[in-house]
């Protein structure tokens, strides 16, 4: 083998071997350094790092090119993977078949890539298991892969010799979409590595199109289109501050978290955690293995009764973690995030090859490199297409010249001694080029008819128009950019998919701190209260003295929510959620978030939305609560009032096995406006109508009914009037003070002592509670109860006027709140 000459090598002119060849004396240190550098360069450029233009490593590029050349396109039948691997290894990639097959497998995995480039048939593995051998699987190109190779035949990219010089291969693919950002990649070179996270195709294309028209766009503007990575496996991404850092510098660390739900396990009364989406690169078996180790070996994880993997092809990922009795699933979830792969970090390192040099790029730079490549591809493609059309136009024009004097052409050809003479005669007689003359000689006579002349003239006009359009692209940069943008839009329209990964904004440390649940892992069955806020949040509270609550109320905390309903229960008990559609849902108290001990009012961030607890229909909302179990003993039931003025006391004879049932039979168009739990039946029922009528009477006047009952007349309504408030209040509660009536018209608000309103009979019209001013026609809001507070839907407190003893007064001009309720009362 011939030795390589190095500038540092010492040459001894007298040193020759027996054959007369010169021998170079090279130090071992220099030889090792040179060889290692060559190896490192080969790994960096030919194996480990992707090209920033098409986002592919050489092995991936060669796989796609080989499949394209062999015709294994989306409309082709599947072929054995071993056949693809053999073609790639023999023609373009002189490395092991295992490495080539592993690379092809990744291109086919929908859990590894947002846009798979290989359409695999058979077992191509899972996040936990590897694929079947190449002799068992089949493959062909995916439709998306055709976007990367579809323009290869139009001189869009440069080709280079393959490893043995017998064939040519593309140095880069045309790439009609930003594959590097969309699919991501990872690789370890010598002294450097890359680890790029996947993104959503539609979002990346939108950012690229914006950058086309706004080259000086800021990173923040681009992040309006690409707010963060989008992982094939979904899940959550925490801490977008680190995402922005990665987009700016090319490096950053983001935290991935599984998507879970907590609550009763389907078919069981036990609480559990259901995992439906896992972090990128994590499989269910890996999670189960870590949970098993933490439970049995390290003993750091407690409170788990069982773990089941119910994942299948039809329903996707489903990992059910069953809690032991009395275990707080929120606290257990925090331990799972901390100790298992349900939460993982991803270190972003956007190291790519740009003009053959390794560079670390941010989001904008990656888009700029792709767009620059795309401009070049479209320019070269346009030149190629224009040249082909010009060549065709040249031939068409020659044929048309021949058709004008077709008889002379035929006579000249017949009179020529040979084809060469005929060609020269045509060129001289009709002033044709050599190419045109040769084409006329090769054209069958059947094409030289008057009908073909019409077709040729139409083709001539079409070719001239197309040449003009293609010339405009080459001559005007704005037109070129418009073409690139339009083609990207077409790609997004056909192949874009909805975002899978949820993004949680903020600083990573703050997000992790805020996500820690309050309360211990093991929860005692202590008394507590379940609270429904006026804005639809549900939470539970621990026992605390009312003096402490009242003290914090006076401290003037601004962010709070009015309380719509509250019932006493225990931490391991159940409550009933009642909706305006007359449906009731049983739900466990334990999964509800616990309000912080330092807050005397319901924080908007402290509760759980009712949609997270029960499956509500469109327009359905929870309007009341009822206790279950021992706390329900001795009560006549649940008092219900409807929009049409119907009242019902539903006896607490709830179905034992059903978790969802109806508590009233409603007429069409009617709905429940209030649902209040009666403790002993001595409460007073109150209706307030939109026409400012208030009716009160004893709850004992309403006989309890079963679930199927439709109720009885509760209040007599005038024409076009409807009930805006229904509730039950106590007038003998010295501890909480006298109830107050709050009415609002949108312009004025009035607060009146409840004692000013006399009791009337059931189904009567009641008395006036608010005198309308000029321009006022109805009440927009009403509420009756002790300690009234008001707030907006955003949780901002709204002041109420001082009590006015005039029950039929008009109130005072005051900003009308969105919701009214009362303060928390701790046991």
């Amino acid at each position: 083998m011939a030795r390589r000459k190095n500038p540092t090598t010492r040459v001894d002119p007298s040193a020759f071997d027996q054959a007369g060849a010169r021998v170079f004396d090279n130090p071992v240190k220099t030889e090792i350094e040179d060889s290692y550098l060559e190896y490192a360069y080969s790994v960096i450029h030919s194996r480990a790092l992707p090209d920033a233009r098409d986002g592919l490593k050489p092995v991936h590029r060669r796989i796609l090119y080989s499949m394209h050349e062999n015709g294994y396109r989306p409309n082709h039948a599947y072929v054995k993977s071993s056949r693809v691997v053999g073609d790639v290894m023999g023609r373009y990639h002189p490395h092991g078949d295992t490495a080539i097959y592993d690379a092809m497998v990744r291109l086919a995995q929908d859990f590894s890539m947002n846009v798979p480039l290989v359409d695999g048939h058979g077992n191509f593995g899972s996040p936990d298991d590897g694929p079947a051998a190449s002799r068992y699987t089949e493959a062909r190109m995916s439709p998306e892969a055709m976007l990367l190779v579809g323009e290869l035949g139009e001189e869009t990219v440069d080709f280079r010799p393959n490893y043995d010089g017998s064939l040519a291969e593309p140095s880069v693919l045309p790439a009609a979409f930003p594959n590097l950002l969309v699919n991501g990649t990872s690789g370890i070179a010598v002294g450097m590595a890359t680890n790029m996270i996947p993104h959503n195709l539609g979002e990346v294309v939108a950012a690229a199109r914006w950058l086309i028209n706004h080259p000086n766009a800021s990173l923040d503007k681009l992040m309006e289109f690409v707010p963060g990575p989008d992982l094939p496996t979904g899940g959550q991404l925490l801490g977008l501050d680190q995402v922005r850092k990665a987009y700016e510098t090319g490096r950053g660390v983001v935290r991935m978290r599984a998507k879970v739900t907590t609550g009763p396990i389907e078919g069981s009364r036990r609480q559990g955690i259901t995992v439906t989406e896992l972090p990128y690169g994590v499989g269910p078996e890996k999670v189960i293995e870590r949970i098993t180790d933490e439970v049995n070996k390290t003993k750091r994880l407690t409170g788990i009764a069982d773990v089941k993997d119910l994942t299948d092809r039809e329903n996707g990922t489903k990992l059910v973690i069953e809690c032991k009795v009395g275990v707080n699933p929120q606290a257990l979830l925090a331990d799972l995030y901390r100790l298992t792969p349900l939460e993982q970090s991803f270190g972003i390192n956007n190291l790519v090859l740009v003009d053959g040099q390794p560079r670390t790029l941010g989001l904008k730079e990656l888009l700029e490199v792709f767009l620059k490549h795309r401009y070049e591809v479209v320019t070269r493609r346009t030149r190629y297409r224009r040249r082909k059309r010009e060549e065709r136009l040249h031939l068409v024009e020659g044929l048309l010249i021949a058709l004008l004097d077709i008889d002379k052409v035929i006579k000249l050809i017949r009179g020529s001694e040979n084809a060469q003479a005929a060609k020269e005669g045509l060129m001289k007689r009709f002033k044709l080029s050599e190419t045109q003359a040769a084409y006329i000689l090769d054209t069958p006579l059947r094409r030289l008819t008057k009908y073909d002349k019409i077709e040729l003239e139409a083709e001539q006009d079409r070719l001239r128009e197309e040449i003009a359009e293609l010339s405009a692209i080459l001559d005007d940069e704005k037109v070129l950019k418009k073409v690139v943008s339009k083609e990207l839009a077409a790609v997004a329209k056909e192949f874009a998919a909805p975002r899978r990964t949820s993004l949680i904004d903020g600083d990573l440390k703050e997000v992790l701190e805020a996500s820690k649940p309050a309360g211990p892992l093991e929860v005692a069955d202590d008394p507590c209260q379940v609270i429904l806020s006026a804005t639809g949040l549900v939470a539970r509270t621990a026992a605390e003295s009312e003096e402490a609550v009242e003290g914090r109320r006076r401290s003037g905390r601004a962010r709070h929510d009015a309380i719509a309903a509250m019932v006493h229960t225990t931490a391991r008990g159940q409550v009933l959620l009642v909706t305006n559609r007359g449906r009731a849902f049983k739900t466990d108290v334990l999964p509800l978030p616990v309000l912080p001990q330092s807050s005397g009012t319901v924080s908007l961030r402290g509760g759980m939305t009712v949609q997270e607890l029960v499956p509500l229909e469109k327009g359905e909302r929870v309007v009341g609560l009822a206790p279950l179990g021992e706390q329900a003993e001795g009560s006549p039931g649940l008092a219900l009032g409807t929009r049409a003025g119907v009242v019902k006391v539903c006896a607490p004879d709830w179905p034992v096995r059903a978790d969802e049932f109806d508590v009233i039979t409603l007429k069409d168009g009617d709905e429940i406006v209030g649902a209040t739990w009666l403790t002993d039946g001595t409460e007073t029922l109150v209706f307030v109508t939109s026409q400012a009528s208030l009716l009160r009477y004893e709850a004992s006047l309403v006989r309890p009914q079963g679930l199927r009952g439709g109720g009885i007349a509760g209040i007599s309504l005038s024409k076009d009037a409807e009930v805006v408030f229904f509730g039950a209040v106590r007038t003998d509660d010295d501890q909480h003070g006298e109830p107050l009536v709050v009415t609002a018209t949108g312009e004025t608000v009035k607060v009146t002592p409840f004692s000013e309103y006399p009791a009337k009979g059931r189904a009567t019209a009641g008395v006036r509670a608010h005198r309308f001013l000029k321009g006022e026609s109805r009440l927009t809001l009403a509420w009756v109860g002790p300690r009234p507070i008001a707030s907006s839907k955003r949780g901002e407190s709204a002041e109420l006027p001082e009590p006015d003893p005039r029950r039929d007064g008009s109130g005072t001009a005051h900003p009308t709140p969105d919701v009214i309720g009362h303060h928390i009362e701790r046991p």
Side-chain angles (χ1 to χ4, degrees):
M1 180 176 179
R3 298 298 301 272
R4 178 183 63 259
K5 184 176 180 181
N6 189 282
T8 61
T9 302
R10 298 192 303 272
V11 180
D12 185 358
S14 62
F16 294 92
D17 61 9
Q18 295 179 353
R22 180 174 295 181
V23 178
F24 296 93
D25 182 14
N26 197 28
V28 173
K29 179 177 181 295
T30 303
E31 179 67 23
I32 292 175
E33 289 176 351
D34 292 346
S35 298
Y36 187 78
L37 286 174
E38 287 187 9
Y39 165 73
Y41 182 86
S42 174
V43 171
I44 292 171
H45 286 265
S46 302
R47 292 175 65 181
L49 298 186
D51 193 296
R53 295 170 292 178
D54 61 4
L56 298 172
K57 300 178 186 178
V59 62
H60 298 131
R61 188 179 301 114
R62 289 162 178 166
I63 290 171
L64 295 179
Y65 179 66
S66 176
M67 295 180 76
H68 178 260
E69 287 296 291
N70 289 319
Y72 306 150
R73 301 183 180 93
N75 57 355
H76 190 280
Y78 290 100
V79 297
K80 284 290 184 182
S81 298
S82 56
R83 182 174 176 181
V84 177
V85 171
D87 288 337
V88 174
M89 182 171 57
R91 295 182 179 182
Y92 306 109
H93 200 68
H95 299 280
D97 60 331
T98 302
I100 298 173
Y101 183 55
D102 289 344
M104 189 183 79
V105 164
R106 186 182 186 278
L107 295 180
Q109 293 175 334
D110 57 1
F111 55 85
S112 296
M113 307 186 74
N114 274 331
V115 180
L117 303 178
V118 170
D119 181 8
H121 184 255
N123 178 15
F124 275 80
S126 70
D128 291 309
D129 299 315
S134 60
R135 61 183 179 274
Y136 298 120
T137 61
E138 298 176 333
R140 64 185 178 189
M141 298 180 72
S142 70
E144 294 87 345
M146 296 303 298
L147 297 174
L148 299 181
V149 301
E151 301 159 310
L152 279 174
E154 297 181 287
E155 299 179 358
T156 52
V157 296
D158 294 331
F159 279 70
R160 62 190 177 194
N162 67 337
Y163 67 93
D164 63 359
S166 60
L167 297 169
E169 62 175 332
S171 58
V172 67
L173 296 185
F177 69 92
N179 174 62
L180 184 59
L181 279 167
V182 172
N183 282 322
T185 189
S186 62
I188 301 175
V190 178
M192 58 185 68
T194 185
N195 199 31
M196 302 189 65
I197 198 166
H199 291 78
N200 183 273
L201 173 62
E203 294 175 354
V204 172
V205 167
R209 295 186 66 204
W210 180 266
L211 193 59
I212 290 174
N213 298 319
H214 305 85
N216 297 322
S218 65
L219 177 60
D220 291 330
K221 183 61 181 180
L222 294 178
M223 287 188 66
E224 293 180 11
F225 302 98
V226 187
D230 186 25
L231 306 175
T233 53
Q236 297 177 321
L237 207 66
L238 313 181
L240 295 190
D241 285 357
Q242 284 291 317
V243 172
R244 193 190 187 286
K245 178 182 177 183
Y247 286 168
E248 183 176 7
T249 65
R251 292 176 179 270
V253 179
V254 296
R255 190 70 65 90
M256 304 177 295
R257 178 178 284 183
K259 183 178 180 181
V260 304
T261 57
T262 58
I265 298 175
E266 185 178 353
S268 172
R269 300 298 304 170
R270 185 166 286 182
Q271 293 291 321
I273 300 169
T274 303
V275 183
T276 55
E277 295 176 5
L278 288 167
Y280 186 47
V282 176
E285 293 182 11
K286 189 182 298 183
V287 176
I288 293 175
E289 181 180 356
R290 180 65 66 84
I291 290 176
T292 302
D293 289 343
E294 295 293 342
V295 171
N296 298 329
K297 295 181 180 179
T298 65
K299 309 293 184 181
R300 294 188 297 177
L301 201 56
T302 59
I304 296 178
D306 192 15
V307 182
K308 298 177 182 177
D309 183 10
L310 305 180
T311 302
D312 56 35
R313 292 181 180 272
E314 182 177 354
N315 300 313
T317 301
K318 187 174 183 181
L319 186 63
V320 179
I321 303 171
E322 189 174 316
C323 301
K324 292 181 179 179
V325 177
V327 170
N328 180 3
Q330 295 292 333
L332 176 60
L333 182 59
D335 289 341
L336 289 170
Y337 284 148
R338 180 172 55 89
L339 299 172
T340 72
L342 289 181
E343 185 174 296
Q344 291 273 71
S345 294
F346 189 101
I348 299 175
N349 185 18
N350 297 338
L351 183 66
V352 294
L353 293 177
V354 181
D355 297 329
Q357 300 296 319
R359 290 180 55 191
T360 302
L361 303 182
L363 174 64
K364 184 177 181 179
E365 290 78 10
L366 286 168
L367 290 173
E368 288 174 339
V369 171
F370 166 76
L371 290 176
K372 180 181 177 182
H373 172 60
R374 196 63 197 155
Y375 295 150
E376 181 182 357
V377 167
V378 174
T379 299
R380 296 178 62 165
R381 182 191 69 191
T382 305
R383 289 195 187 117
Y384 174 85
R385 292 179 178 178
R386 185 176 68 172
R387 187 179 76 249
K388 289 296 183 181
R389 282 158 178 77
E390 288 174 344
E391 292 172 354
R392 175 60 185 170
L393 179 61
H394 186 60
L395 298 177
V396 169
E397 290 173 343
L399 280 176
L400 288 173
I401 291 173
L403 285 173
L404 290 175
D405 296 304
I406 186 63
D407 295 334
K408 294 180 181 179
V409 170
I410 295 174
K411 183 177 179 181
L412 187 151
I413 295 173
R414 293 186 63 184
S416 301
E417 295 182 358
N418 51 45
Q420 181 63 29
K423 182 170 67 173
E424 292 176 354
L426 289 173
M427 294 170 59
K428 183 177 180 180
R429 178 76 178 272
F430 298 99
K431 293 182 173 53
L432 299 175
S433 67
E434 183 177 355
T435 304
Q436 289 175 324
Y439 186 69
I440 291 172
L441 290 173
D442 294 336
T443 302
L445 285 175
R446 66 174 179 270
R447 296 218 37 208
L448 304 178
T449 66
K450 63 178 181 179
Y451 298 107
D452 281 304
K453 179 182 178 183
I454 296 174
E455 293 177 0
L456 287 172
E457 289 175 343
E459 183 181 2
Q460 182 185 45
D461 294 338
R462 177 176 56 82
L463 288 171
R464 287 173 176 171
E465 291 178 2
E466 291 177 355
I467 290 171
E469 293 175 359
L470 295 170
S471 297
I473 296 174
L474 296 174
D475 297 338
D476 192 341
E477 184 180 358
K478 292 183 179 179
V479 179
L480 172 64
K481 290 183 176 181
K482 186 176 181 180
V483 170
V484 173
S485 179
K486 185 177 180 181
E487 291 178 355
L488 285 172
V491 171
K493 182 178 180 181
E494 183 175 1
F495 295 104
R499 166 172 280 277
R500 300 180 179 96
T501 302
S502 302
L503 303 175
I504 301 178
D505 198 1
D507 180 75
L508 181 58
K509 292 183 179 179
E510 294 179 359
V511 171
L512 293 175
E513 187 66 28
S515 64
K516 291 182 179 179
L521 180 64
E522 297 285 346
V523 179
D525 198 22
D526 294 330
C528 66
Q529 294 171 321
V530 174
I531 303 164
L532 171 67
S533 80
T535 55
L537 300 177
V538 183
R540 62 185 173 94
T541 180
E544 187 178 0
S545 67
E546 190 171 332
E547 290 77 9
V549 174
E550 182 67 15
R552 281 193 300 276
R553 182 180 68 84
R554 295 194 184 100
S555 66
R557 294 183 180 271
R559 295 190 64 81
H560 62 274
D561 195 356
I563 304 305
M566 179 169 50
V567 293
H568 296 270
T569 180
T570 62
R572 296 187 186 177
Q574 284 188 313
V575 294
L576 208 62
L577 302 180
V578 183
T579 76
N580 62 324
R581 302 282 176 84
R583 295 198 299 168
F585 298 87
K586 293 179 183 178
T587 186
D588 292 320
V589 176
L590 190 61
L592 299 179
V594 180
L595 294 181
Q597 292 287 342
S598 59
S599 175
T601 53
V602 179
S603 168
L604 290 181
R605 297 182 180 179
M608 176 185 294
T609 61
V610 292
Q611 287 83 356
E612 298 179 69
L613 291 172
V614 294
L616 298 181
E617 299 174 353
K618 184 178 181 180
E620 189 175 17
R621 64 186 188 280
V622 174
V623 295
L625 302 172
L628 296 172
E630 296 180 0
Q631 284 71 28
E633 295 179 0
S635 169
L638 181 68
L640 307 170
T642 75
R643 185 78 62 188
V646 174
V647 66
K648 177 184 179 180
V649 175
C650 185
D653 186 16
W654 317 126
V656 177
R657 298 184 181 275
D659 291 333
E660 175 188 343
F661 50 88
D662 293 333
V663 292
I664 187 174
T665 301
L666 292 171
K667 295 183 179 179
D668 292 341
D670 200 6
E671 66 172 347
I672 296 175
V673 296
T676 306
W677 180 252
L678 303 178
T679 56
D680 54 10
T682 61
E683 293 86 353
T684 298
L685 302 183
V686 185
F687 282 94
V688 182
T689 73
S690 59
Q691 298 300 317
S693 293
L694 185 149
L695 175 64
R696 56 174 288 191
Y697 49 85
E698 298 300 322
S700 57
L701 297 179
V702 183
R703 180 176 58 85
Q705 294 179 314
L707 294 177
R708 297 182 180 275
I712 57 178
I715 184 173
S716 177
L717 297 175
S718 60
K719 184 180 179 181
D720 298 329
E722 62 181 12
V723 175
V724 295
F725 172 82
F726 172 80
V729 299
R730 301 192 69 90
T731 59
D732 58 351
D733 191 352
D734 297 333
Q735 180 182 4
H736 299 114
E738 180 184 5
L740 296 173
V741 178
V742 183
T743 54
T745 63
E747 299 294 335
T748 60
V749 179
K750 184 168 72 73
V751 180
T752 313
F754 184 59
S755 58
E756 297 296 322
Y757 299 86
K760 299 289 184 177
R762 181 184 61 81
T764 60
V767 298
R768 186 163 58 187
H770 195 113
R771 184 186 298 273
F772 294 137
L773 297 175
K774 184 177 181 180
E776 298 178 339
S777 60
R778 60 180 284 122
L779 291 181
T780 58
L781 198 63
W783 184 83
V784 182
R787 294 182 177 173
I789 63 169
S791 69
S792 68
K793 292 180 180 179
R794 298 175 56 186
E796 299 170 348
S797 61
E799 297 294 331
L800 293 175
E802 294 295 324
D804 183 351
R806 300 173 301 168
R807 64 177 175 82
D808 62 344
S810 300
T812 57
H814 210 80
T816 303
D818 293 313
V819 293
I820 304 175
H822 54 82
H823 286 291
I824 297 177
E825 300 163 6
R826 303 291 180 95

